[in-house]
Amino acid sequence: MEKWNQSSSDFILLGLLPQNQTGLLLLLFIIFVFSLALFGNSTMIHLIRVDSRLHTPMYILLSQLSLMDLMYISTTVPKMVFNFLSGQKSITFLGCGVQSFFFLTMACSEGLLLASMAYGRFVAICHPLHYPTRMSKMMCLKMIIGSWALGSINSLAHTVYALHIPYCHSRSINHFFCDVPAMLPLACMDTWVYEYMIFVGTFVCLLFPFLGITASYGRIIFAVFHMRSKEGKKKAFTTCSTHLTMMTFYYAPLTYTYLQPSSLHSPTEDNILAVFYTIFTPMLTPSSTA
């Protein structure tokens, strides 16, 4: 059994793509998606910042969502592209910790922020007279700070714990970034306590917010169903279905990955699911939530 010094040794990221022509074509596609995500989210942030008419709670929350998506996709894709093009697969121990921290922060914070946005839409449609008080700029600020704070605290706890696990098996992480479920099989200790932490964190940051979103949109759809205007009803149903599709696209694979016990994880399945919530969702956010 190979033992190694955590403070000086690197991890090895086995990556997502094969080192051949097919892998190169897929990499070019990922770079294209990455560019679209950067352009779309950067444009969204800029437009909201410069147009005073968009300085409303919902658009402020949307600008924060775009910022999170920018950081989210930038945490994983550039390193993956660099490793593929350079032929190197290593990532330092500290670099792995930093990548894990920012990834988990964005994943948790975005989950909470999406729930806040769903609540805002619920109030706007079902309780329009209460909207100025329930969704004031101060409340909006509290939602933003709460999302970032809870996401950072959750991420810090997981990252610190993960970096203190004694790793004594292979240093090869069967993933394209330092994802916690992919790191656990490398540990040479019983990680049931850590898996319990992951389970609790997933409920707090992903499952509960998603249930809140589902409840909010359920009430919205019920209210829309009783609208007299067929045109307004059709538009509202289209908007709601688009939002719910994007959010399911984000929550479902992420929750499934993190709620599974480490013994049931499949590296191939984890890599494929991770593409959805780390690469495609940030690209779709600007068009589906506006």
Side-chain angles (χ1 to χ4, degrees):
M1 184 178 292
E2 178 190 5
K3 294 194 177 185
W4 54 288
N5 188 339
Q6 296 183 57
S7 62
S8 60
S9 298
D10 295 345
F11 285 106
I12 304 298
L13 294 173
L14 297 183
L16 173 68
L17 307 173
Q19 292 282 342
N20 53 31
Q21 188 173 7
T22 301
L24 180 60
L25 291 175
L26 290 173
L27 182 74
L28 293 176
F29 175 70
I30 289 174
I31 293 174
F32 174 71
V33 172
F34 177 72
S35 301
L36 288 180
L38 289 185
F39 176 76
N41 287 290
S42 299
T43 301
M44 183 71 70
I45 294 171
H46 175 70
L47 292 176
I48 293 173
R49 184 180 65 86
V50 300
D51 192 340
S52 58
R53 294 172 300 176
L54 300 180
H55 293 175
T56 61
M58 285 308 298
Y59 279 101
I60 293 173
L61 290 175
L62 181 57
S63 69
Q64 286 295 306
L65 181 63
S66 292
L67 176 61
M68 289 178 182
D69 277 328
L70 276 176
M71 298 177 66
Y72 199 12
I73 196 169
S74 298
T75 300
T76 57
V77 172
K79 179 61 177 174
M80 179 180 66
V81 172
F82 174 79
N83 282 4
F84 184 92
L85 296 178
S86 66
Q88 300 177 5
K89 296 186 177 182
S90 64
I91 182 170
T92 64
F93 186 79
L94 178 60
C96 193
V98 171
Q99 187 181 59
S100 178
F101 172 76
F102 280 103
F103 168 77
L104 291 173
T105 297
M106 295 307 111
C108 182
S109 298
E110 183 161 330
L112 295 169
L113 191 69
L114 285 170
S116 299
M117 295 176 69
Y119 171 76
R121 292 192 177 99
F122 159 71
V123 175
I125 294 176
C126 299
H127 302 283
L129 297 179
H130 296 162
Y131 187 83
T133 55
R134 291 194 185 183
M135 286 298 294
S136 63
K137 288 189 177 181
M138 181 56 67
M139 178 57 69
C140 179
L141 181 62
K142 290 179 181 178
M143 288 177 172
I144 292 171
I145 294 175
S147 297
W148 281 104
L150 288 175
S152 299
I153 293 170
N154 175 73
S155 175
L156 183 63
H158 285 292
T159 303
V160 170
Y161 196 104
L163 293 185
H164 282 80
I165 291 177
Y167 295 99
C168 53
H169 296 296
S170 169
R171 292 174 290 161
S172 300
I173 300 175
N174 204 338
H175 217 306
F176 61 91
F177 67 98
C178 291
D179 195 20
V180 171
M183 296 171 66
L184 291 183
L186 308 182
C188 59
M189 62 172 285
D190 190 350
T191 58
W192 73 269
V193 175
Y194 191 34
E195 290 189 47
Y196 181 75
M197 286 177 58
I198 295 174
F199 188 79
V200 173
T202 303
F203 263 89
V204 172
C205 295
L206 297 174
L207 193 57
F208 284 163
F210 183 69
L211 292 176
I213 289 171
T214 304
S216 294
Y217 276 100
R219 292 288 302 276
I220 290 172
I221 292 172
F222 181 77
V224 170
F225 184 76
H226 290 85
M227 284 183 175
R228 294 182 179 180
S229 171
K230 290 184 178 180
E231 179 99 11
K233 185 183 296 186
K234 181 180 179 181
K235 183 178 179 181
F237 272 124
T238 302
T239 302
C240 288
S241 62
T242 303
H243 293 166
L244 282 174
T245 299
M246 189 282 296
M247 291 177 184
T248 302
F249 205 53
Y250 173 74
Y251 281 102
L254 192 55
T255 303
Y256 176 79
T257 298
Y258 278 81
L259 283 183
Q260 266 195 326
S262 60
S263 58
L264 299 180
H265 277 276
S266 162
T268 302
E269 184 180 72
D270 287 350
N271 273 279
I272 293 173
L273 291 175
V275 170
F276 286 95
Y277 58 78
T278 62
I279 299 176
F280 288 132
T281 300
M283 178 193 69
L284 298 173
T285 296
S287 59
S288 61
T289 57

